Amino acid sequence: MPRSLKLRAATLFRWMAALSILLTSIGLAGPAEAVSYRGQFVFIKGSTNINGILRWDYWDTDGDGVARTYGSWRSGSGSTQDSCEKGKGWLPSGPYDGIQHQKNYVGSLIFGMVWELDSKKCYNGTYRTELFIHSKQTPSNGQNCPGSQCWASANDYMSNGCIKLSSANYSFSDDIGDADIKSRARGGPGYGVSRYTNLVVVSGRDRP
Amino acid sequence: MRRYLPIIMMVGIAVTACGSKTQDAGYAIEATEASPSETATAPVLPELAYVHGRVVRGAGIANALLARDAAQPLNGWLSPVAVMSPDKSSIAYNTWRELREDDPAKSRSDQGIEAGTPLGHPAIYVFDSKTGQNTILADGASSIAWGRHGIAYVQGVDRDYRAGINWIGDIFVRSGSSSSPIKWSGEPAHYVAAAWARDTLIAYRVDPQEHLTLLAFDSPGKERVLSEGTLVSLSPDGRFAFVEATDATSCVYVIEISSGLKIASFDLRKSPLAEQVVSYAGSWESDLIAARTSRGLAVFRFDGTQISLLEAMDLSSSRYPFSAIEPHFINGGKSVQATVSIPSDLGLRTTMLQWSIGQGEASWSPEVEGDVHYFDNPSR
């Protein structure tokens, strides 16, 4: 290869490397980042329906495989502790696939940041369905008080079964926004409709 | 029979914050705690008819064997698994045929279950006690209400329940088990037929996040929201609904079904049930209403204008963490009978609890394997 051509190739390589570093630093090098991490939410039921913990566990798929935690938030599920009680009980324990993750979801009852989960059978075979991780916020992730788009008290951690995180309002922090940022930064699903294997593992007492 | 001590006895004034007219509800409360031994000394014989798998017990029906196990995985106990016809000659019951094993200990993807995979197939059958025959009423259908107006049920748009797809359907009503169905609902949704209140059909719509909306259908296409919350029971004359909205408001209500007006309310926060919620699928006899609570059972009284809490009972949470299900009055309203699930690694077992109101006594039947469902008819 002529020397001038070698120099041009080396220059091009350096430019490409620099561009790659730049893209990585501003978060546009998605594919390379996404394949290096894998993760899942872990929801640990509390002593009550409103004092559980949700955390994001992740691991480097090319590394040691050891799970590390990146973010942990107070969360709630249900208003009773019977996982078979449709519309009231907390979620049955076990792993759930994700169905979609949306930042500006517009449903009939829930809005804004959501992760939709697959359904699951409880201890007597009843299916718990129409499940989400969500908060109380507007489609644009704001607050509209009072009402169903307003996070106002600890009782807002109660749900019909879904896992709930707080939105920024009163003395509560934007936990659902933080969970979105941190999970996406460590291998979690991006926005859109696509299945994400084992997005959540629910643990804690489901049986005596 | 085992006695247990009352842990709270008080008389107080309930100050309502529940949105209906203010009431001066003096009430006498006896909250008791039941801690049964594993083997009750005198097991009760269930007075209520029930179905255990394919076998029917009680109700004066001998040798009744259903075509399939009675089960309703799509709706839990939002409505009865099995319903007696108004003339008590037949039983309509929900069935479920599993099309694909779905292990809750694994995610769907780990089981190789893709979105759209058929998981189960619901169907409603009718058992005729005169002929002993089982016939299918509706294939791909779930939940039943059987009143003088006819049989209401929800016919699935897709007859199978599929992974990753919410099961939705339309409400149909037949004047008799062999009559043509007439559609009563509008757009398909996850409806659950709950009960008839005279000529009005009471149903749920299960919305995203499993939010339950209580609906009243007065005629085909004439649908209205009856109330937020869930149905504990209908009054014996079918005029009123005892509704709980305790998740959101800590309140229970009596609602006049024809007008939708709240005519009485009770705020749990001013009672021994302050830290609990009330649940659906109870019963109403005379002026008493039995309901499930977070930790046990409660009996309320409605005197025509006011609701009061008569008595509450806590179940031992270590042995019975899931409280009692579907409480029904027996002995002319002197006792309440309910089923209690006991899940374990060896499988689900069920016992029946009989609670003597005001007596401080409770008894348990021997445990049986699997699920037990009362069949009665909440329609009025």
Side-chain angles (χ1 to χ4, degrees):
Chain A
M1 185 181 294
R3 180 180 165 76
S4 61
L5 200 56
K6 279 185 182 174
L7 280 173
R8 260 181 275 169
T11 304
L12 181 61
F13 179 79
R14 279 196 295 273
W15 272 106
M16 287 177 64
L19 183 62
S20 175
I21 290 168
L22 179 64
L23 288 173
T24 300
S25 68
I26 62 174
L28 295 178
E33 190 85 352
V35 294
S36 61
Y37 291 119
R38 187 73 172 75
Q40 62 186 28
F41 286 114
V42 176
F43 175 65
I44 303 167
K45 294 170 182 172
S47 57
T48 71
N49 293 88
I50 62 172
N51 67 354
I53 295 289
L54 185 71
R55 66 170 197 253
W56 180 256
D57 284 359
Y58 73 98
W59 52 94
D60 185 343
T61 55
D62 300 323
D64 56 11
V66 174
R68 296 173 173 81
T69 296
Y70 190 45
S72 178
W73 312 272
R74 179 184 177 180
S75 55
S77 173
S79 62
T80 77
Q81 299 187 355
D82 187 341
S83 59
C84 283
E85 193 170 11
K86 279 187 81 75
K88 283 183 169 288
W90 59 15
L91 290 186
S93 294
Y96 293 69
D97 289 336
I99 294 175
Q100 64 170 320
H101 176 37
Q102 302 287 352
K103 182 180 182 183
N104 305 115
Y105 183 76
V106 180
S108 55
L109 294 161
I110 55 176
F111 307 92
M113 191 75 71
V114 301
W115 291 261
E116 186 178 3
L117 309 179
D118 218 340
S119 54
K120 186 170 284 295
K121 284 196 287 193
C122 66
Y123 62 84
N124 73 3
T126 299
Y127 275 103
R128 300 299 303 279
T129 59
E130 286 104 344
L131 305 173
F132 289 82
I133 300 173
H134 67 98
S135 186
K136 292 175 76 174
Q137 57 181 214
T138 65
S140 57
N141 311 116
Q143 291 287 290
N144 182 15
C145 295
S148 63
Q149 299 176 348
C150 174
W151 191 280
S153 75
N155 280 340
D156 286 328
Y157 285 106
M158 281 204 291
S159 72
N160 298 100
C162 301
I163 297 169
K164 280 175 79 176
L165 293 167
S166 64
S167 293
N169 203 17
Y170 296 102
S171 60
F172 295 94
S173 54
D174 182 20
D175 285 354
I176 194 151
D178 195 42
D180 167 59
I181 291 169
K182 287 180 173 167
S183 63
R184 284 191 297 112
R186 293 293 185 276
Y191 304 136
V193 179
S194 68
R195 183 161 289 267
Y196 190 93
T197 301
N198 295 330
L199 175 65
V200 187
V201 174
V202 175
S203 67
R205 191 190 74 177
D206 201 29
R207 300 179 176 202
Chain B
M1 192 75 72
R2 186 181 175 92
R3 292 196 66 81
Y4 49 93
L5 298 173
I7 55 174
I8 300 172
M9 182 174 283
M10 59 177 287
V11 175
I13 302 298
V15 179
T16 184
C18 301
S20 70
K21 62 184 180 183
T22 304
Q23 62 193 21
D24 180 14
Y27 57 90
I29 301 162
E30 186 177 346
T32 53
E33 183 173 18
S35 301
S37 59
E38 286 196 22
T39 54
T41 53
V44 293
L45 290 173
E47 296 196 8
L48 297 167
Y50 66 92
V51 58
H52 180 211
R54 294 176 61 195
V55 178
V56 174
R57 304 283 189 199
I61 300 173
N63 303 319
L65 192 61
L66 306 181
R68 293 181 179 279
D69 288 2
Q72 190 176 210
L74 294 176
N75 301 313
W77 53 92
L78 283 170
S79 73
V81 168
V83 178
M84 188 88 82
S85 63
D87 67 0
K88 301 187 185 304
S89 68
S90 302
I91 301 166
Y93 57 98
N94 290 278
T95 67
W96 179 258
R97 182 159 51 91
E98 190 173 75
L99 302 175
R100 169 77 156 82
E101 187 179 2
D102 185 11
D103 182 357
K106 298 176 182 174
S107 67
R108 295 264 171 78
S109 55
D110 282 346
Q111 299 177 79
I113 298 174
E114 296 179 355
T117 302
L119 296 175
H121 184 91
I124 298 171
Y125 284 74
V126 173
F127 172 78
D128 185 334
S129 65
K130 294 172 185 168
T131 64
Q133 298 295 308
N134 289 279
T135 54
I136 194 162
L137 176 78
D139 191 34
S142 183
S143 74
I144 315 154
W146 200 338
R148 65 187 186 189
H149 208 95
I151 307 172
Y153 58 90
V154 179
Q155 178 68 60
V157 170
D158 186 335
R159 299 199 171 201
D160 294 334
Y161 171 65
R162 296 174 183 273
I165 300 173
N166 291 327
W167 192 83
I168 59 173
D170 301 297
I171 295 178
F172 282 89
V173 176
R174 297 183 182 200
S175 57
S177 58
S178 57
S179 305
S180 299
I182 297 172
K183 186 180 169 188
W184 276 45
S185 56
E187 292 296 308
H190 183 172
Y191 292 111
V192 181
W196 288 95
R198 301 185 173 185
D199 292 335
T200 297
L201 176 66
I202 308 299
Y204 290 104
R205 190 181 61 231
V206 184
D207 290 315
Q209 62 169 326
E210 258 188 12
H211 180 85
L212 304 172
T213 302
L214 198 56
L215 305 172
F217 291 85
D218 297 307
S219 59
K222 194 174 177 187
E223 168 188 340
R224 59 191 162 99
V225 174
L226 183 63
S227 171
E228 289 299 311
T230 68
L231 177 67
V232 177
S233 188
L234 298 173
S235 61
D237 64 4
R239 290 178 58 206
F240 303 108
F242 194 92
V243 170
E244 70 78 27
T246 47
D247 300 357
T249 66
S250 298
C251 296
V252 293
Y253 304 97
V254 171
I255 293 176
E256 186 180 54
I257 291 169
S258 60
S259 65
L261 294 175
K262 292 174 184 171
I263 61 170
S265 62
F266 183 86
D267 190 341
L268 298 186
R269 287 170 292 193
K270 304 292 183 182
S271 82
L273 300 177
E275 301 300 319
Q276 300 190 54
V277 296
V278 171
S279 189
Y280 44 82
S283 64
W284 189 333
E285 183 162 315
S286 183
D287 59 348
L288 301 180
I289 298 97
R292 182 191 203 209
T293 65
S294 309
R295 295 200 292 264
L297 297 171
V299 173
F300 297 90
R301 171 173 281 141
F302 174 60
D303 65 6
T305 57
Q306 296 177 355
I307 301 168
S308 55
L309 176 62
L310 186 67
E311 190 172 349
M313 182 185 74
D314 281 358
L315 285 164
S316 167
S317 61
S318 58
R319 179 65 182 154
Y320 300 121
F322 295 146
S323 185
I325 300 167
E326 297 182 310
H328 288 71
F329 286 107
I330 57 173
N331 296 334
K334 294 177 182 173
S335 303
V336 173
Q337 190 167 304
T339 61
V340 181
S341 297
I342 310 167
S344 74
D345 292 338
L346 300 176
L348 182 69
R349 300 180 68 81
T350 305
T351 185
M352 293 189 198
L353 161 70
Q354 188 169 308
W355 169 37
S356 299
I357 302 166
Q359 301 299 309
E361 293 175 346
S363 303
W364 278 258
S365 73
E367 295 173 8
V368 296
E369 288 184 16
D371 230 346
V372 170
H373 305 282
Y374 294 125
F375 62 88
D376 69 339
N377 193 336
S379 298
R380 301 286 181 256

